[in-house]
Amino acid sequence: MTETGRQVSENDQLRADIYQLLAALFRRQPNTELLQFLAGLEVEVEAEDGNTMSQAWNALKLAAENSDTNTLEDEYFAIFLGVGSGEIMPYGSWFMTGSLMDKPLAALRSDLMLLGFEREENVKEPEDHVAALCEVMGCLILEAPGYRQLAFYQRHIGSWIIRFCDNLAKTPSANFYLNVAQLAKAFFTAEANEFEQLSLDIPVNCPGSADLDPLEEEVVQIN
């Protein structure tokens, strides 16, 4: 699936890793191993630094150090699942149109098929779940050219993801996930700048969002 001869920069590898971490945190509550990983992060933040991303990493590290899996299971359930529904809808269509299973989801499914992504049979959530979108972006950053990354981000993520982060931070049950929301907002703010610069670097005659061809014949399954 990887483009022949494509070199992945250190920055792109880090971005892809953060997408996959956010996907894991949005998919389900962190297990013991993930909490230990977050608690062991080495983050240096000086008081005068003002680096929003570094501060968010540090806050998440501290939250992981003071959290346990049982409490996080209850918190995740209340926020994302609930009895009937959770405190937030983690779906792109909901944030774009105010309803589920709408036109944005149909467009997403079409693009995922063209790109060679396929939902696993045991996954019941629609493909526009924020975790699934983060998984796809993590793959695209490592394996797709810039115009594909830009087209997918603009079509399916960029218009609503900051509102999602803000709403997640305001959910009544958010404690650990308040820190997740703050990290996600800092990251996606940086991503908006990344893709704005990328859009300036892409030639006007480069294929755009209408040319989301499969990366290869290989089908990639998303959780």
Side-chain angles (χ1 to χ4, degrees), residues 198-216:
L198 179 61
S199 69
L200 296 175
D201 294 339
I202 293 177
V204 294
N205 62 343
C206 182
S209 59
D211 299 296
L212 289 170
D213 302 321
L215 300 182
E216 274 189 10

Side-chain angles (χ1 to χ4, degrees), residues 102-142:
D102 212 327
K103 290 181 180 179
L105 178 58
L108 172 63
R109 285 173 171 167
S110 177
D111 286 348
L112 290 174
M113 181 177 65
L114 290 171
L115 285 166
F117 290 94
E118 172 179 284
R119 183 171 62 176
E120 292 184 354
E121 292 183 0
N122 63 332
V123 175
K124 306 304 180 184
E125 296 90 354
E127 293 89 335
D128 62 341
H129 191 288
V130 63
L133 294 171
C134 286
E135 289 169 352
V136 171
M137 279 304 307
C139 291
L140 292 179
I141 287 173
L142 296 180

Side-chain angles (χ1 to χ4, degrees), residues 147-163:
Y147 74 86
R148 283 190 179 132
Q149 300 172 32
L150 176 64
F152 190 89
Y153 187 87
Q154 289 181 333
R155 285 163 67 92
H156 304 299
I157 300 176
S159 66
W160 61 272
I161 194 64
I162 296 298
R163 283 186 289 125

Side-chain angles (χ1 to χ4, degrees), residues 61-74:
K61 169 185 168 69
L62 294 175
E65 291 173 351
N66 294 284
S67 298
D68 63 82
T69 54
N70 291 332
T71 301
L72 289 179
E73 183 177 5
D74 293 339

